[in-house]
Amino acid sequence: MSDIFAALLYTIFVWWFSTGIILFLNGLPRHTFKWTMSAATVILVAALSALQLTSHVSEIWAAYCAFSCAVLVWAWQEIGFLLGFVTGSRKTDCPEDARGWRKFGLAAETILYHELALVVLGAMVWLVSREGVNQVGFWTYLVLWTMRQSAKLNVYFGVRNLSEGFLPHHLKYLQTYFRRRSMNAFLPVSLIVSLAIAIPIWQSVASAPAGSFSAVSLTLIGTLLSLAILEHLFLVLPVPLEGLWRWGLRSRSAES
């Protein structure tokens, strides 16, 4: 039970701390962006190498390592997107008369390169770990990618809490493609499908041998998915998420 609790706390901490660090780096002066991106790329290569090495190890430390490395791979595209290096072919506001599929197509253009980067990185994570017994890294990335796609669609269709405060000044045009409304029809579907996956994961955690690799691995993945579900709920609650990462947003005053 202590191993499961430790894995749960670790996942929550990584989710909270990594988000804050990325926001902090994004708020630094623009002349630091190239150094941030360069460092993130070095870390990306190291993370992929570590994923390959740990893919053949089914021990608890390897589960933590694979999980952490997948988060670091994911962080590369988050940094690239927020710094403005990996966004899309369109970098202007949404035309006021854009509706329906035309608006959807224009919105897709704003994040086209970002979406391609997500797919390429996911393929790399799969390639370096596909033959191993430790698939924690791949499933971690898959949860992050799937739930982020769901969140993007919900923001596009319309939610109460858009969290536009997370967007840096040079990406403010993206919020013109968002829609603010109390609810959309896709959100309940997102939550039901996510819960239908999360519940069996937690049931498997309960039935796994205490202190085993599988118990810790499933806890890491299950906690991450549960946090993503919680983030979806915050989309329709009148409670801004910015408060959780106020410390990371303080660097925004240094933007230039």
Side-chain angles (χ1 to χ4, degrees), residues 13-194:
F13 174 77
V14 168
W15 167 77
W16 172 78
F17 185 71
S18 61
T19 300
I21 285 294
I22 292 172
L23 291 172
F24 179 82
L25 293 172
N26 181 233
L28 295 177
R30 291 184 66 87
H31 68 80
T32 67
F33 286 5
K34 60 181 179 180
W35 301 111
T36 298
M37 199 66 205
S38 296
T41 301
V42 172
I43 293 173
L44 169 65
V45 174
L48 289 170
S49 299
L51 273 173
Q52 184 176 34
L53 291 173
T54 56
S55 66
H56 301 286
V57 183
S58 56
E59 297 183 20
I60 289 177
W61 69 266
Y64 278 100
C65 183
F67 173 82
S68 302
C69 287
V71 172
L72 289 172
V73 172
W74 181 264
W76 184 91
Q77 59 79 28
E78 287 279 16
I79 291 171
F81 178 74
L82 288 174
L83 296 187
F85 290 118
V86 189
T87 53
S89 56
R90 184 179 181 84
K91 301 179 184 294
T92 56
D93 290 355
C94 180
E96 294 185 2
D97 62 343
R99 297 288 187 277
W101 285 109
R102 177 171 178 251
K103 181 180 179 181
F104 185 83
L106 294 174
E109 289 179 11
T110 65
I111 56 173
L112 177 62
Y113 305 145
H114 168 64
E115 295 299 331
L116 291 174
L118 287 174
V119 174
V120 171
L121 289 174
M124 293 172 70
V125 170
W126 176 77
L127 283 171
V128 300
S129 59
R130 69 187 187 283
E131 297 178 353
V133 294
N134 182 357
Q135 295 293 312
V136 174
F138 172 72
W139 287 108
T140 297
Y141 190 92
L142 187 62
V143 167
L144 288 168
W145 180 77
T146 303
M147 296 305 287
R148 178 56 58 86
Q149 298 305 108
S150 174
K152 288 175 184 174
L153 287 172
N154 275 294
V155 168
Y156 175 78
F157 292 139
V159 291
R160 181 192 301 272
N161 189 6
L162 296 172
S163 297
E164 60 268 39
F166 288 130
L167 288 175
H169 179 73
H170 56 271
L171 294 181
K172 287 297 185 183
Y173 62 89
L174 290 174
Q175 65 188 11
T176 64
Y177 297 86
F178 302 164
R179 183 179 179 185
R180 192 182 301 279
R181 55 194 299 197
S182 59
M183 176 66 74
N184 70 77
F186 182 65
L187 183 60
V189 176
S190 304
L191 292 172
I192 291 171
V193 172
S194 301

